[in-house]
């Protein structure tokens, strides 16, 4: 009975596992989830009815659904969200005993207690979701029993776990933790004070998130958080006795309610201040865009009124109150500056927020309301800020745009003009006077006409001093307003005059730029050939100007056509037939003549809008315009039949634009048939084969764009089959251009059929090519299966006498046409699979292609064929294939044998469970061994032998891995399984396949001897495969004590045989030696001895990489105790000596080798620090040299691979920073290393920051105790938190260091490093600057340099966009404040005081003579940063004065008082007021 129950449970478990695979699809997920719930429910019902099965209920639930669910989540983490929403709550609600068993299986207790060092991200996510579901179900007693009295500190279990994960290195993990941390079963439950305090600590980290998806998730969480806070405050307000006067504060009757209300209000006030800091000019793009999105959410929520203690009387956002609060803050100043930001979405968000603000201003009609909004502020202009700031910003931005001509400035000017147009003052005017909007519009058009005239007269002058793009963008935004005609208060005649002027401008711009933009090779076009002037305009500037002018002109025309509110009604003189015909003809001409892909992509959208507008018109004459343009398009296709480009330039856009206007019209069918007819027409040759007229190319490209257009999806469905036939027919044409376009059309159709991108999916033999999806596709498109067979039948006829002919084709020697045709068929099978009715025939055809002389075709066919084999019959197919090869081995061609072995390789390599049982393994190895010996008896080419060796090597590695995995402790859970590298060696004599492995070793030995004794011309693939087999054979030596010596001997022999052999052998050793006991194999000694004997640079790199990885793993796992103590230090010293000698002999010319050396140096020095005293001058010299190398490698100008090598070197050294996981070391020799590590935490590359954060997480993790396993520890922190931890440690451990004083002064003031590193690493030691003046540059010179304007069109991007220098100056000012008072008597202090006072004097002077306000002299990021540095330095001096650490400085107070009264940047003002 129990046995049958177990078999039934295993069947159900397998069935549920398959159902879990269907849950990832949106179409089948809900149905699969309901079926799983029904099955589990039936099992529970049956268990409750049958008492004999009650005892097995818990185990059956684990076997039936718990294990399949856990495995599915582990394999596909994306399923977790669907499980949380639909499946998991219902499953846990069915039976509490199932819930209890699931809680015991998961590592929830370890997670709640903070022991999460061994849990991967999937485990953490699953545990967090299960805990939250259990709490929502009210089953917390199960958690209480499991935790056994764990102190939650007034938190829920979800919040307790989430707190541990809010600073996790993974963005997705942090987002999930934040969602769990802030969620609640009740939307009106107040947030505890400690929870709000935790949010204040971690929210800045989320604002700096670099992943856009994570930022969007964060914003959705914040939106819900704001809604909850609003509901809480509203509820607290309703419970109080509130006066009807909204200006009064709530009168709380309960002190607890009052405190909760204040806690939430203070949190919102803090968040507003944080957003202000995030919007400062030097902040990174992630911080800007996150702050703007959160600010938008804050405006929409209506919470800003709560900050002013205004009761929330309704759920509707109180926009007037909130925007008054926003208007009194520096946000308007900052938003106006962000309208000129380099990033488009930042400009869009800033303009949107300003739009909301000014819209609220316009709603105020009374004088008292306007007075309320016109608040004076010292930080702005000292006068009314209703429109003066916008006017000032507009003037400055337009002048800046003209001086530079940059695209972001032009866009900012356009957005500011749009704001100015929308929110013009409503002053009284006479009846015959035009309104202010009308005047503004006239002024923009007049300015545009003047700029066009300059460009028409002299394009070079226009590029240099009269860019027109800002006016075009402004007109586009204004015209695109849905109520443009009404807002502008235009009459019909005024509108007609404006419209005609705009159209004339568009036509003239096309005349000006078409010579540049339509040139076949624009980079070779010369703007001005005759005269020369002082302008530095080049061809790049001319192309940029022309392309942007055409782009903005096209966008303007699109706004004129698409916006129905742009013009009066047709009866009142609106857009007529002539207007639309004129605009349509212009865009049609542009598409026909353009060669610039970006240009015709933009114009195509305008032409599409024009066609749609015409087709929707009730005027029959206008509605016929697309048909007229279609006839002109066909004429253009024929006219340009000899002017071919790969994608036919703008011709496909012309066709798709016209057809998009008639998706369900008979005209659509006619157009498709016309294009199919042209595409399938025969090529006409007129005797001249060089100048063919190929209209077929244009037609094929048009069809490709039609079928890839999402708007035409349903309309083109019925034409897919016929177009597939045409595409396949084109593959057999004799003209390459037609074949190429046919192939592109075929790929586009495949994307249409199965989705995805144009890139071919990664093929492997784990993918079943007989899936149900393929059957559905072939049933729907019956012609597709026949087309696949048709393509596959174009196989090559091989000469029967050319047994060993191996022909390889490449770009210089292309394969014949009939061979190239086969590849599309293989791609179709890869994407769609095989039709059920054609499986056998396809297999036979693929077998014939295994004989092909083209290596790529053999390889592709072998890969496809391996994916067609059913899993149940996998080994039988392998065995049959090999037996057929043995039977016909004497007569088969070399290519045929090689192709079949490639198929065998993919079969063995692709399936993880190929070798199942003793019989399968024995048959496989016997067959391989016999085949290998037969082949070696008549060696003529070794490509087949190389593949066969690869198969055997993979099989042996699989046996090793399976043997180690099978020998794990029986009670170990799936989530606690350790890596293979951490498992000790097992007795191989007891292994069931020991005899097979020994037989294989003898075969490898015989093959090696045969090869070495013969004069066979070997190949690199054969040498690599044989070297790998020889290393594996040595590691499997029966005599365990001899494994190390034998392996070293093999690698030593490979070193003599050449770079290919030794590199392959070393790489194999690097990946496999971790499975064996290091005491027996002695990899450390093998690496060092090989390094000593190595003479080729190619072999040194893998040796150094393997040795550094070994030393790092040994150091982390504390396995160094097992190494010979007497020989280890000598070994390390010898290896280090080799590194130095190679560097001194200039042998590190290869960057890859130099990076490997840098990694190894860190690992060697880590072990040297364990055996030598840090006071030893020789060790200090080594550490100093290494620190200088890291400093130079971490420079922002270094490439990413070098910086990765440097941070990896520090990671290899981390065991020396915290020996045996005790307290963190802080010797003076390590200060430079810590500072360099801090710089890596601010690197622009996310991977570099991640490695640096992992180092910090490791060295700051909880100390290891005797009862904890070595791998237990804290989570890996994100880089922001890691940098804060490191700075706090440096500030505490080195507060009495003079070097830290100098370095902090340098970082605060933006000067050079206090420690000068000579680039000649072997010529001199680092020099500590003893005179601060040497690197504290004169502040006046710094201001002059920072204030200098850069007017170049293309700005060189900063090397590091992640770091915020203003924020860094604040951090290092805090370090300087906490420096030891004992070292402040150094001469550096007085020099620092002089530098700060001089900086304040300069700022006061510049404030008096330079223009302030938005986009003033303070807005420039370099000037803003320098001002923050001076203010932070002043804060440090004031702190020292208040603590009586230095004498009082009267000039400091005087200058700060003057500065407070000046017109300064609002962020500067907030810093001054804080001080």
């Amino acid at each position: 009975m129990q046995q049958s129950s177990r078999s039934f449970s295993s069947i159900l478990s397998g069935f549920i596992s398959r159902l879990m695979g269907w849950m990832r699809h949106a179409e089948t997920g809900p149905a699969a989830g309901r079926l799983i719930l029904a099955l589990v429910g039936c099992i529970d019902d049956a268990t409750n009815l049958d008492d004999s099965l009650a005892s097995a209920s818990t185990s059956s639930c684990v076997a039936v659904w718990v294990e399949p669910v856990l495995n599915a989540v582990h394999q596909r983490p994306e399923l977790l969200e669907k499980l949380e929403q639909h499946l998991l709550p219902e499953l846990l609600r069915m039976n509490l005993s199932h819930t209890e068993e699931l809680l015991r299986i998961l590592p929830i207790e370890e997670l709640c207690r903070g022991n999460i060092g061994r849990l991967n991200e999937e485990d953490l996510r699953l545990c967090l979701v299960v805990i939250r579901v259990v709490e929502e179900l009210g089953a917390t007693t199960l958690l209480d029993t499991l935790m056994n009295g764990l102190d939650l500190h007034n938190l829920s279990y979800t919040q307790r776990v989430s707190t541990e994960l809010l600073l996790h290195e993974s963005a997705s993990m942090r987002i999930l933790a934040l969602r769990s941390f802030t969620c609640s079963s009740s939307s009106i439950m107040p947030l505890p004070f400690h929870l709000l305090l935790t949010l204040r600590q971690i929210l800045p980290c989320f604002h700096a998130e670099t992943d856009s998806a994570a930022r969007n998730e964060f914003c959705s969480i914040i939106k819900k958080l704001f809604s909850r806070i609003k509901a809480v405050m509203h509820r607290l307000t309703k419970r109080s006795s509130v006066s009807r006067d909204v200006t009064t504060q709530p009168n709380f009757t309960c002190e607890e309610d009052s405190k909760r209300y204040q806690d939430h209000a203070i949190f919102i006030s803090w968040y507003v201040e944080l957003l202000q800091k995030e919007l400062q000019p030097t902040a990174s793009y992630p911080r800007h865009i996150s702050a703007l999105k959160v600010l938008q959410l804050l405006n929409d929520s209506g919470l800003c009124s709560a900050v002013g203690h205004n009761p929330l009387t309704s759920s509707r956002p109180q926009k007037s109150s909130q925007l008054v609060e926003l208007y009194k803050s520096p946000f308007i100043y900052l938003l106006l500056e962000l309208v000129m930001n380099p990033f488009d979405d930042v400009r869009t968000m800033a303009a949107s927020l300003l739009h909301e603000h000014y819209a609220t201003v316009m709603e105020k009609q009374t004088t008292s309301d306007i007075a309320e909004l016109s608040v004076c502020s010292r930080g702005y202009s000292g006068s009314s800020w209703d429109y003066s700031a916008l006017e000032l910003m507009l003037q400055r931005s337009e002048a800046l745009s003209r001086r530079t001509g940059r695209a972001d400035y032009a866009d900012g000017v356009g957005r500011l003009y749009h704001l100015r147009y929308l929110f013009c003052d409503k002053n009284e005017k006479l009846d015959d006077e035009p309104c202010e909007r009308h005047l503004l519009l006239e002024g923009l058009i007049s300015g545009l006409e003047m700029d066009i005239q300059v460009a028409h007269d002299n394009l070079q002058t226009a590029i240099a001093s009269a860019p027109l793009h800002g006016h075009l963008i402004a007109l586009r935004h204004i015209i695109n307003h849905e109520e443009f005609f009404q807002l502008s208060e235009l009459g019909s005649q005024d509108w007609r005059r404006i419209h005609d002027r705009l159209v004339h401008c568009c036509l003239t711009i096309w005349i000006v730029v078409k010579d540049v933009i339509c040139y076949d090779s624009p980079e070779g076009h010369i703007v001005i050939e005759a005269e020369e002037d002082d302008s530095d305009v080049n061809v790049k500037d001319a192309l940029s100007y022309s392309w942007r002018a055409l782009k903005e002109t096209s966008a303007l025309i699109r706004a004129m056509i698409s916006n129905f509110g742009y013009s009066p009604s047709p009866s009142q003189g609106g857009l007529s037939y002539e207007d639309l015909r004129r605009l349509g003809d212009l865009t049609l001409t542009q598409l026909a003549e353009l060669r610039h892909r970006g240009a015709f992509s933009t114009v195509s959208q305008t032409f599409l809008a024009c066609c749609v507008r015409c087709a929707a018109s009730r005027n029959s004459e206008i509605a016929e315009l697309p048909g007229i343009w279609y006839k002109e398009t066909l004429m253009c296709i024929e006219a340009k039949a000899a002017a071919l480009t790969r994608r036919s330039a703008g011709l496909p856009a012309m066709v798709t634009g016209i057809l998009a206007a008639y998706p369900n019209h008979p005209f659509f069918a006619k157009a498709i048939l016309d294009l199919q007819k042209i595409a399938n027409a025969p090529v006409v040759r007129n005797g001249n084969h060089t100048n063919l007229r190929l209209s077929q190319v244009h037609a094929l490209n048009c069809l490709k764009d039609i079928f890839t257009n999402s708007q035409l999806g349903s309309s083109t469905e019925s034409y897919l089959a016929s177009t597939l036939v045409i595409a396949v027919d084109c593959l057999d044409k004799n003209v390459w251009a037609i074949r190429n376009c046919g192939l592109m059309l075929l790929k586009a159709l495949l994307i249409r059929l199965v989705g995805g991108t144009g890139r071919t999916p990664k093929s492997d033999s784990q993918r079943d090519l007989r899936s149900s999806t393929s059957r559905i596709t072939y049933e729907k498109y019956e012609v597709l299966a026949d087309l696949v067979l048709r393509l596959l039948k174009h196989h090559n006829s091989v000469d029967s006498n050319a047994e060993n002919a191996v022909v390889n084709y490449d770009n210089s020697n292309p394969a014949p046409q009939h061979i190239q045709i086969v590849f599309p068929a293989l791609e179709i099978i890869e994407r769609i699979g095989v039709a059920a009715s054609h499986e056998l025939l396809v297999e036979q055809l693929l077998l014939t292609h295994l004989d092909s002389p083209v290596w790529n075709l053999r390889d592709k066919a072998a890969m496809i064929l391996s994916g067609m084999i059913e899993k149940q019959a996998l080994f039988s197919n392998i065995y049959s294939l090999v037996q057929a090869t043995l039977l016909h081995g004497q007569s088969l061609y070399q290519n045929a044998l090689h192709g079949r072995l490639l198929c065998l390789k993919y079969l063995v390599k692709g399936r993880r469970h190929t070798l199942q049982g003793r019989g399968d393994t024995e048959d496989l190895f016997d067959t391989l061994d016999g085949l290998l010996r037969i082949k070696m008896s008549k060696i003529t080419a070794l490509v087949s032998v190389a593949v066969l060796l690869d198969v055997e090597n993979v099989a042996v590695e699989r046996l090793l891995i399976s043997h180690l995995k099978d020998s794990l402790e029986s009670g170990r859970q799936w989530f606690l399984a350790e890596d293979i590298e951490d498992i000790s060696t097992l007795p191989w004599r007891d292994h069931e396949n020991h005899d097979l492995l020994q037989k294989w070793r003898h075969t490898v030995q015989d093959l090696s001897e045969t090869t070495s004794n013969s004069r066979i011309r070997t190949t690199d693939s054969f040498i690599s495969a044989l070297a790998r087999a020889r290393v594996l054979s040595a590691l499997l030596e029966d005599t365990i004590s001899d494994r190390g010596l034998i392996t070293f001997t093999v690698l030593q022999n490979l070193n003599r045989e050449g770079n290919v052999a030794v590199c392959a052998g070393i790489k194999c050793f690097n990946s496999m030696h971790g499975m064996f006991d290091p005491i027996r194999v002695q990899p450390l000694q093998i690496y060092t001895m090989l390094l000593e004997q190595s003479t080729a640079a190619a072999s040194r790199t893998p040796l150094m990489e393997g040795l550094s990885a070994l030393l790092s793993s040994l150091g982390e796992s504390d396995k160094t105790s097992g190494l010979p103590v007497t020989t280890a230090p000598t070994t390390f010293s010898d290896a280090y000596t080799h590194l130095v000698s190679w560097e001194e002999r200039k042998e590190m010319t290869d960057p890859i080798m130099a990076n490997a050396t840098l990694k190894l140096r860190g690992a060697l020095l880590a072990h040297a620090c364990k055996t030598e005293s840090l006071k030893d001058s020789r060790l200090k010299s080594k550490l100093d040299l290494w620190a200088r190398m890291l400093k130079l490698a971490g420079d922002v100008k270094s490439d990413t691979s070098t910086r990765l090598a440097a941070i990896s070197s520090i990671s290899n050294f981390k065991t020396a920073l915290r020996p045996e996981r005790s307290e963190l070391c802080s010797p003076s020799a390590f200060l430079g290393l810590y500072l360099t590590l801090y710089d890596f935490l601010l690197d622009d590359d996310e991977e570099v920051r991640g490695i640096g954060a992992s180092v910090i997480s490791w060295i700051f993790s909880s100390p290891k105790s005797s009862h904890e396993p070595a791998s237990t520890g804290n989570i890996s922190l994100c880089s922001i938190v890691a940098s804060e931890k490191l700075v706090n440690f440096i500030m505490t451990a080195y507060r009495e260091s003079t070097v830290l004083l100098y370095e902090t002064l340098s970082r605060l003031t933006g000067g050079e490093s206090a420690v000068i590193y000579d680039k000649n690493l072997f010529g001199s030691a680092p020099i500590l600057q003893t005179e601060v003046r040497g690197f504290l540059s004169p502040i006046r010179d710094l201001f002059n340099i920072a204030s200098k304007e850069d007017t170049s069109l293309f700005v060189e991007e900063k090397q590091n966009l992640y770091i915020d220098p203003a924020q860094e100056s604040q951090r290092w000012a805090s370090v300087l404040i906490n420096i030891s008072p004992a070292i402040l008597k150094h001469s550096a202090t007085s020099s620092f005081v002089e530098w700060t006072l001089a900086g304040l004097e300069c700022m006061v002077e510049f404030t008096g003579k330079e223009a302030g306000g938005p986009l003033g002299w303070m807005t420039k990021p370099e000037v803003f940063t320098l001002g923050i540095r001076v203010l932070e330095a002043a804060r440090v001096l004031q702190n020292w004065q208040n603590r009586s650490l230095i004498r009082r400085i009267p000039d400091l107070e005087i200058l700060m008082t003057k500065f407070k009264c000046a017109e300064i940047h609002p962020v500067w003002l907030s810093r001054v007021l804080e001080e």
Side-chain angles (χ1 to χ4, degrees), residues 186-192 196 224-242 248-254 256-272 298 301-315 318:
S186 173
S187 61
I188 58 175
M189 180 178 294
L191 283 81
L196 293 173
K224 295 178 181 178
L225 178 64
F226 286 161
S227 299
R228 179 179 175 186
I229 293 176
K230 180 180 177 179
V232 168
M233 299 181 73
H234 180 53
R235 178 172 177 269
L236 293 174
T237 304
K238 288 182 65 176
R239 286 168 52 177
S240 64
S241 56
V242 184
T248 61
Q249 297 183 9
N251 182 20
F252 293 100
T253 57
C254 177
E256 182 65 25
D257 287 350
S258 177
K259 183 180 182 303
R260 289 176 176 174
Y261 188 96
Q262 291 298 325
D263 289 342
H264 290 75
I266 291 173
F267 173 76
I268 296 298
S269 299
W270 167 84
Y271 210 162
V272 171
L298 189 61
S301 68
L303 277 171
C304 285
S305 57
V307 178
H309 307 289
N310 293 322
L312 307 177
T313 57
S314 67
S315 59
Q318 301 178 5

Side-chain angles (χ1 to χ4, degrees), residues 35 115 208 228 235 292 299-300 393 480 485 570 586 633 855 916 989 1006 1041 1109 1175 1248 1276 1287 1302 1322 1396 1416 1419:
L35 182 55
N115 301 327
R228 179 179 175 186
R235 178 172 177 269
L292 289 171
N299 283 341
D300 296 340
M393 182 70 182
N480 205 34
F485 182 71
L586 174 60
T633 302
W855 188 311
Q916 300 177 354
R989 290 186 180 276
D1006 295 342
S1041 58
K1175 298 180 180 180
V1248 174
S1276 295
V1287 166
Y1302 278 90
F1322 307 98
T1396 305
T1419 304

